[in-house]
Amino acid sequence: MAYVTDRSSFVHKTLAYAGLILVLSIILIPYSYIALTAFKAPGEVFEVEWFPQEWSLEAWRYTFKTVEFQKYIFNSFIAGLGAAILSLFIAVPGAYIFGRKQFRGKEIFFYIITVALLFPYVLLIVPITITWIRIGLYDTLPGLWIAYQIFIIPFALWILRGFFAELPPSLEECAMVYGCTQFQAFYRVMLPLARPVIVSLLFMTFLIGWSDFLFSNMLTTGEGPRTASVILYVTAVGGERVEWEVLMVMTLMAGIPPVLLYILAQKQLMKTFAVRRR
Amino acid sequence: MIDTKPRTRETQFVSTREVSLWGRMLQGDTWLIILFLLPTLAFLIFLLWLPFLQGIWMSFHNWPFIGKPKWVGLQNYRDFIMASYFWTTIRATLIYSLSTVFQLGIALIAALALNQKFIPLKGIWWGIMLMPYAMPPVVTGAIWMYLLDPNLGMVTHYLIKLGILSEPVYWASDPTWAKWVITLVVSWTFWPFMFLIILSALQSIPESYYELAEVYGANLWQRFRTVTWPHIRGAVLAAFIIRIVWNLEKIDQPFQLTGGGPGYETSVLSVLTYRFAFLSGDFGMAFTVGLFLIAFMVILMIPFLRRFQTLVTQAGKKG
């Protein structure tokens, strides 16, 4: 018996490590090459060489001084933050009702939200753009905040509803026995309990805003609140010659903050995702 | 509105005061439900369904970015079906949708590997695996644009060095290669979503099931077939269905890597929508193409939704 287990566990281990190494290498090889490219001098990118012959900050200087990429990074930050905060005011009360209250038409209502989760959002750029021009939201930050809700809300409702539904059923009644009103029961008891989920949701919705290209490109023009994603696209596609080392500095500046956030929120995220299976 | 159902023990010694409290609670409830649902309702109406209906209305028009729309009836639909690029687009969309299968492959390997007890430093690997997904798609798109560049990209360089390619492939202007490049880049970027879902499904399998299977002498493959797969297939199927839809609407990277070209070769339906809206400013046509995208998604999803339905009914019977 022990013999069998040992032998299979050798195959087992080999397979697991092979899989792990395979997946890690398809991620780490590209990223490490990019990180090194950002420190190459202009003109050096024309040869495939892993390490810069001479470490240079020229590309970084150019990105900060000439492109002023930090301005757009800041726009992305504000766009993401505003969208995340706005989404809480919509999704938290709604999810609370769906998770804990009974009312007529609940099933149909919830079905509509589930369909919204699978909605191909790319369609909506068309009517939204026209409407935004008409009501003056075009080329404004609030315009972006509201438009991002289209991706965010169905997802946020889905995660939060699951959380609220799993809390013990008698919580509000207890709170009310102690003299809370319905609203206070929500505000003083349920909200603090939901804080961890809300935090990881804030963080995920922030990243949706930070990363978006679909609406950010469509709903802003040169003068408006263009985000880093749009500038990256324009730099990569627009010019006749791409300055790769500069582009790679931009990818690092726009790409590393979300990764850091993921690492910071890792424990919380793993929990939020791990709960809702089955 | 007073509840007449049998009470639980705590509420059995009901005083009159408490009945009226119950009554007030119900009243408060209705008020709260309406108030709390308002934002969600406003979202569904004003950001989802009204724009959607407005879009259908627009698809019957010649609707320019700025200027007066003109009613054209079904002409946009006819134009699109008759267009020389109609089948090119459908074929591109079909190949593009294969990215869901590739994502499932990588996600399964990664999740199964990371779920083994003996693997050390799991947190670090988890963090690295999420990197492609965490970064904005335009960022990872730019990275691959550089790595795959025919003249100075690392990938071409090594493929030639290893003798796999004899000369650089100018994939952006090659119809076949362009399609596969966007499909593979999208697969590389978005697989961690399935990974997260599969991993959490794996983590919910009780360890004792594996121990039992081992006692019965099940080998690695048998354990996967009898314990692992039945437990995760529901999650896998759900993630797969979601990703079919989500992958098909990812336009950032195709738009950046090929711009839908050469010609219309990589103009998958979603990219074509965006091309019409953003580049040509032809909003009526853009939404028409979008409606074809919905139809395409629904047709593609039906077999998987059926399968999901039977799984759910089976689980319902068992439980």
Side-chain angles (χ1 to χ4, degrees):
Chain A
M1 191 70 227
Y3 170 68
V4 174
T5 322
D6 272 342
R7 214 181 57 167
S8 89
S9 94
F10 173 73
V11 178
H12 192 162
K13 279 188 182 173
T14 319
L15 277 176
Y17 277 109
L20 185 71
I21 290 167
L22 176 79
V23 175
L24 287 178
S25 54
I26 63 168
I27 297 170
L28 285 177
I29 292 173
Y31 278 125
S32 35
Y33 189 73
I34 293 313
L36 290 168
T37 302
F39 295 97
K40 286 179 186 164
E44 229 190 278
V45 286
F46 294 107
E47 283 157 57
V48 177
E49 214 37 85
W50 274 83
F51 289 94
Q53 282 150 17
E54 194 184 331
W55 292 77
S56 157
L57 287 176
E58 187 45 43
W60 291 85
R61 200 170 301 125
Y62 185 83
T63 311
F64 272 95
K65 285 274 156 61
T66 313
V67 189
E68 295 189 89
F69 196 60
Q70 66 280 12
K71 267 194 341 207
Y72 305 107
I73 290 279
F74 183 72
N75 282 346
S76 291
F77 177 78
I78 298 295
L81 191 67
I85 292 170
L86 177 62
S87 76
L88 289 188
F89 287 97
I90 304 173
V92 174
Y96 171 71
I97 300 296
F98 277 110
R100 305 194 64 83
K101 303 284 177 188
Q102 293 305 326
F103 58 92
R104 217 180 300 148
K106 184 175 166 179
E107 301 238 318
I108 299 169
F109 210 156
F110 192 67
Y111 186 70
I112 293 174
I113 291 174
T114 317
V115 171
L117 196 65
L118 291 173
F119 200 90
Y121 311 113
V122 64
L123 261 82
L124 294 178
I125 54 164
V126 174
I128 292 282
T129 310
I130 289 290
T131 310
W132 263 218
I133 291 175
R134 201 174 287 159
I135 61 178
L137 280 172
Y138 185 77
D139 221 7
T140 63
L141 273 171
L144 289 181
W145 294 337
I146 298 172
Y148 293 156
Q149 301 308 316
I150 294 172
F151 317 118
I152 295 174
I153 296 297
F155 170 71
L157 279 173
W158 182 52
I159 298 259
L160 276 171
R161 188 204 70 100
F163 172 82
F164 281 124
E166 277 164 27
L167 291 175
S170 52
L171 270 176
E172 289 103 325
E173 278 171 48
C174 288
M176 281 185 280
V177 167
Y178 283 103
C180 283
T181 63
Q182 281 278 348
F183 184 73
Q184 284 168 333
F186 165 76
Y187 183 73
R188 296 218 177 128
V189 180
M190 305 307 276
L191 266 193
L193 280 173
R195 194 185 295 150
V197 191
I198 290 178
V199 169
S200 42
L201 209 63
L202 258 178
F203 145 90
M204 283 189 269
T205 50
F206 168 77
L207 285 186
I208 292 177
W210 172 278
S211 305
D212 177 70
F213 170 75
L214 202 65
F215 277 120
S216 319
N217 189 38
M218 198 71 203
L219 295 177
T220 60
T221 57
E223 304 301 307
R226 306 223 99 171
T227 60
S229 287
V230 179
I231 299 304
L232 245 167
Y233 165 76
V234 173
T235 315
V237 178
E240 57 280 14
R241 198 181 72 82
V242 186
E243 301 189 31
W244 291 110
E245 70 286 353
V246 174
L247 195 65
M248 292 308 114
V249 171
M250 290 182 183
T251 62
L252 290 183
M253 282 174 70
I256 287 181
V259 173
L260 289 181
L261 271 178
Y262 257 96
I263 291 167
L264 279 178
Q266 179 173 6
K267 279 228 174 79
Q268 195 51 57
L269 270 180
M270 280 174 119
K271 252 188 264 161
T272 314
F273 262 104
V275 226
R276 342 242 88 79
R277 281 326 316 164
R278 293 150 69 58
Chain B
M1 283 290 263
I2 287 173
D3 193 341
T4 50
K5 271 181 262 163
R7 296 289 164 83
T8 50
R9 193 182 303 159
E10 293 95 306
T11 48
Q12 241 151 28
F13 46 95
V14 179
S15 70
T16 40
R17 215 186 120 264
E18 245 183 307
V19 170
S20 69
L21 179 83
W22 186 242
R24 260 190 290 153
M25 231 168 76
L26 272 177
Q27 270 182 338
D29 228 331
T30 322
W31 181 80
L32 189 88
I33 288 174
I34 294 171
L35 188 75
F36 272 30
L37 280 182
L38 271 181
T40 307
L41 206 60
F43 162 78
L44 286 172
I45 294 173
F46 293 110
L47 281 174
L48 230 51
W49 297 110
L50 268 188
F52 180 63
L53 294 176
Q54 189 192 351
I56 294 179
W57 172 247
M58 289 169 83
S59 75
F60 298 126
H61 289 78
N62 189 347
W63 199 302
F65 189 81
I66 296 162
K68 272 232 159 19
K70 203 179 104 216
W71 176 269
V72 293
L74 288 171
Q75 204 195 325
N76 285 331
Y77 293 82
R78 201 169 44 225
D79 282 356
F80 182 51
I81 294 178
M82 299 307 228
S84 55
Y85 50 80
F86 180 75
W87 290 108
T88 316
T89 292
I90 300 288
R91 202 172 335 120
T93 314
L94 267 175
I95 292 186
Y96 194 56
S97 64
L98 283 179
S99 57
T100 313
V101 181
F102 297 137
Q103 287 172 15
L104 176 62
I106 314 174
L108 260 181
I109 296 175
L112 284 171
L114 212 59
N115 194 42
Q116 307 307 322
K117 314 191 271 294
F118 51 82
I119 299 275
L121 305 172
K122 284 197 178 90
I124 296 176
W125 312 137
W126 187 91
I128 292 174
M129 284 177 182
L130 250 56
M131 276 169 71
Y133 191 63
M135 291 190 177
V138 183
V139 165
T140 43
I143 289 174
W144 281 105
M145 237 177 128
Y146 173 49
L147 294 175
L148 294 172
D149 189 281
N151 295 315
L152 39 94
M154 182 184 77
V155 176
T156 325
H157 178 81
Y158 283 110
L159 286 182
I160 289 177
K161 218 174 184 183
L162 292 170
I164 297 171
L165 286 181
S166 53
E167 53 185 19
V169 172
Y170 289 86
W171 50 266
S173 51
D174 180 301
T176 314
W177 278 101
K179 282 199 265 283
W180 288 104
V181 164
I182 60 165
T183 306
L184 289 175
V185 169
V186 164
S187 311
W188 183 86
T189 308
F190 295 103
W191 68 270
F193 176 83
M194 286 217 226
F195 161 74
L196 283 175
I197 288 189
I198 295 173
L199 186 64
S200 55
L202 284 173
Q203 282 165 347
S204 72
I205 303 175
E207 187 55 37
S208 57
Y209 286 29
Y210 287 109
E211 282 160 13
L212 190 69
E214 232 163 297
V215 169
Y216 280 104
N219 65 28
L220 194 59
W221 172 243
Q222 287 164 332
R223 269 177 286 164
F224 178 79
R225 278 300 309 263
T226 55
V227 182
T228 313
W229 183 244
H231 270 91
I232 63 168
R233 74 181 158 193
V236 167
L237 204 55
F240 196 81
I241 292 169
I242 292 180
R243 278 270 43 125
I244 287 180
V245 175
W246 288 5
N247 284 338
L248 281 178
E249 67 175 2
K250 292 291 174 221
I251 63 142
D252 320 40
Q253 294 172 333
F255 203 64
Q256 177 187 24
L257 288 164
T258 64
Y264 287 91
E265 291 292 341
T266 56
S267 284
V268 296
L269 286 162
S270 49
V271 172
L272 197 59
T273 302
Y274 206 76
R275 261 177 97 162
F276 275 123
F278 183 68
L279 295 181
S280 336
D282 187 348
F283 280 50
M285 196 62 183
F287 206 87
T288 308
V289 176
L291 289 173
F292 277 87
L293 172 67
I294 292 194
F296 187 95
M297 283 172 174
V298 170
I299 293 170
L300 207 60
M301 272 193 320
I302 285 173
F304 299 104
L305 281 175
R306 280 248 177 90
R307 185 87 194 89
F308 192 66
Q309 195 100 42
T310 39
L311 267 186
V312 171
T313 358
Q314 274 170 9
K317 271 182 204 146
K318 254 187 258 165

